[in-house]
Amino acid sequence: MSKITSSVLIIGNEILSGRTQEINVKFIAMELSKIGISLNEVRVVPDINKQIIFALNELRKKYDYVLTTGGIGPTHDDITSECVSKALKTKYEINQEAYHLLKEYYPEGHLNEGRVKMTKMPKGSKLIKNVVTVAPGFYIKNIFVLPGVPKIMQVMFKEVIKKLKKTKPIISITINTNLYESIMAKDLDIIQNAHMECEIGSYPHFDFNRRSASVNVVVSGKKRKIIILVKKKIITAVKKLGGKAREISSER
């Protein structure tokens, strides 16, 4: 199976203002890698119709899947569902299945206007179950719409995983070295160019008090034999450059 690609569209002024810390992407990326889907792009947009619609149309054409977080609550600034409808040129209406879920969940007379709003979505949408607060997310075509609240999103993501295509998981290993990036750069470039089936990333750590540095080199891909070969080449290169190297983590 060819590479399966995805993107995450984070929607919300609270993220851009710094009032709310974004922690959903890490969870989503790690879960996707387990089923072999590559997360290729993350965007953050404010609660502005035109920007959300523009981003949706770009991402849905560029990647196999678009996962959105945020903007599906009961308030005036929760406009994600309506924007998905506009992006797809699809009628925005009450989803009867979602409406009945909320009607059964809330006591008589408590299904107010804000809660009814959470049942509105593009015509033809299918629901993503929410066992925490009942109000569902939805998916239509290659767009999956999820809440921004991490605990709720994570539970609902288990339902999303069931809907996605799966391929070999992405595995990765991390090699720690005591060299500066600049010393290793040329060798890493040579190794990367020789093994384009995997990705090599280097991430430096500095101790300014001790005037020292180290680098974590992460090798990721789907072919275990290639990953192990590249690891050995990196460790050999580091030692030839006078450094030390050791594998400190592995995700298989």
Side-chain angles (χ1 to χ4, degrees), residues 181-196:
E181 271 190 313
S182 57
I183 296 174
M184 302 169 53
K186 183 177 180 180
D187 288 85
L188 290 180
D189 187 45
I190 292 170
I191 296 170
Q192 176 68 89
N193 288 330
H195 299 284
M196 299 305 291

Side-chain angles (χ1 to χ4, degrees), residues 28 50 77 91 112 117 165 168 181 208 218 220:
I28 292 172
K50 288 184 179 180
D77 57 346
K91 187 177 179 181
N112 56 36
K117 181 185 177 183
K165 294 178 182 178
K168 290 183 179 180
E181 271 190 313
F208 294 102
V218 179
S220 59

Side-chain angles (χ1 to χ4, degrees), residues 53-107:
I53 294 167
F54 179 82
L56 281 168
N57 279 326
E58 275 207 337
L59 296 173
R60 72 186 181 90
K61 294 172 184 176
K62 192 174 179 181
Y63 302 109
D64 295 311
Y65 298 116
V66 181
L67 301 116
T68 77
T69 64
I72 59 171
T75 59
H76 70 281
D77 57 346
D78 290 312
I79 57 175
T80 301
S81 301
E82 185 177 0
C83 288
V84 174
S85 295
K86 290 179 178 178
L88 298 177
K89 295 180 170 58
T90 303
K91 187 177 179 181
Y92 177 58
E93 63 182 17
I94 291 175
N95 179 289
Q96 291 301 317
E97 184 181 356
Y99 181 84
H100 288 302
L101 281 173
L102 267 66
K103 188 176 181 181
E104 290 180 8
Y105 180 76
Y106 289 108

Side-chain angles (χ1 to χ4, degrees), residues 112-238:
N112 56 36
E113 185 177 343
R115 287 165 176 165
V116 170
K117 181 185 177 183
M118 293 190 290
T119 72
K120 296 184 73 175
M121 54 194 69
K123 183 178 181 179
S125 296
K126 296 182 180 179
L127 302 187
I128 301 172
K129 293 180 182 179
N130 175 2
V131 297
V132 182
T133 64
V134 178
F138 66 88
Y139 65 101
I140 181 169
K141 296 188 175 180
N142 66 334
I143 301 174
F144 290 76
V145 178
L146 292 160
V149 180
K151 287 184 178 180
I152 302 174
M153 188 284 296
Q154 290 177 17
V155 172
M156 293 174 67
F157 199 78
K158 294 177 181 179
E159 293 296 317
V160 173
I161 288 291
K162 298 175 184 178
K163 319 293 182 186
L164 305 179
K165 294 178 182 178
K166 298 171 181 62
T167 181
K168 290 183 179 180
I170 299 169
I171 60 174
S172 67
I173 61 169
T174 302
I175 304 157
N176 177 259
T177 81
N178 64 340
L179 296 179
Y180 286 94
E181 271 190 313
S182 57
I183 296 174
M184 302 169 53
K186 183 177 180 180
D187 288 85
L188 290 180
D189 187 45
I190 292 170
I191 296 170
Q192 176 68 89
N193 288 330
H195 299 284
M196 299 305 291
E197 313 96 315
C198 67
E199 295 180 3
I200 301 173
S202 62
Y203 308 96
H205 301 270
F206 297 97
D207 186 331
F208 294 102
N209 293 323
R210 296 182 179 180
R211 299 179 66 85
S212 64
S214 65
V215 176
N216 282 344
V217 180
V218 179
V219 185
S220 59
K222 295 187 177 183
K223 297 181 179 179
R224 183 171 282 104
K225 288 183 179 180
I226 297 296
I227 299 295
I228 293 172
L229 174 62
V230 170
K231 177 190 73 172
K232 291 178 179 178
K233 285 188 175 184
I234 291 171
I235 291 174
T236 298
V238 169

